Amino acid sequence: MSSRMSAWFVTVVLLSMHLVSSSDSDPLQDYCIPSPELSSLFPSSCKNSSLVTVDDFVFSGIKSPGDSMKTGFSSIPVGSSAFPGLNTLGMSFVRADFEPGGINVPHYHPRATEIAFVLDGTIYSGFVDSRNRVFAKVLEKGEVMVFPRGLLHFQMNVGDTTATILGSFNSQNPGLVKIPSAVFGSDIKEELLGKVFGLSWKELAKLRKKFAPTS
């Protein structure tokens, strides 16, 4: 390998290492509460610090559970759009509530690792690594589990009472990809899905209808 090629190779490796290890950008100031007046023109604009109050750093929107009656599961995401005090701090939050038997479908967060704390109930919880190994167990109240960034994970209430999880992410915008919706609620050709999953056109149509995006 020539010295020039070696230099390019080292550069690419170092760049790849930087991209893999990087997360949200480090803040350049103590905080940045978005300015409502300027946000439409300048999304990164901050409120004048003299106008910032303690209420900008307090959020009360997860004191009560969401509506889980229809599906057995509800989640309340807490990002910077709902809680401006999180802006530029590289983190976000979620409250998830489960009726008995309720499921948080297999999903992943492309931009964040998640730590989930069981506030109440009994939850079967786990993730799948890149070698298809499943790491899962039943968590009791007070236990914590971590889901590495980008790995598929899931939860199910296996108790007789409602359960609640509080989740924290190391990104302001972790992203969310729900596998059933991403596969059957998207525009992937039926022919491909039929071959991959061994499903008939009728079965595919039923799944398409179930996971179609809601307006």
Side-chain angles (χ1 to χ4, degrees), residues 97-115:
D97 292 278
F98 303 74
E99 299 294 330
I103 295 173
N104 189 5
V105 301
H107 64 282
Y108 66 91
H109 307 287
R111 293 181 289 275
T113 292
E114 177 183 3
I115 295 180

Side-chain angles (χ1 to χ4, degrees), residues 112-123:
T113 292
E114 177 183 3
I115 295 180
F117 169 74
V118 181
L119 183 66
D120 276 308
T122 306
I123 295 287

Side-chain angles (χ1 to χ4, degrees), residues 98 118-124 138-143 157-165:
F98 303 74
V118 181
L119 183 66
D120 276 308
T122 306
I123 295 287
Y124 173 66
V138 175
L139 303 179
E140 304 290 345
K141 177 179 178 179
E143 293 190 295
N157 183 355
V158 294
D160 298 325
T161 61
T162 57
T164 301
I165 285 179

Side-chain angles (χ1 to χ4, degrees), residues 72-95:
F73 170 78
S74 70
S75 64
I76 305 175
V78 184
S80 59
S81 58
F83 184 11
L86 290 176
N87 189 44
T88 73
L89 299 185
M91 63 184 304
S92 52
F93 202 73
V94 67
R95 171 177 176 154

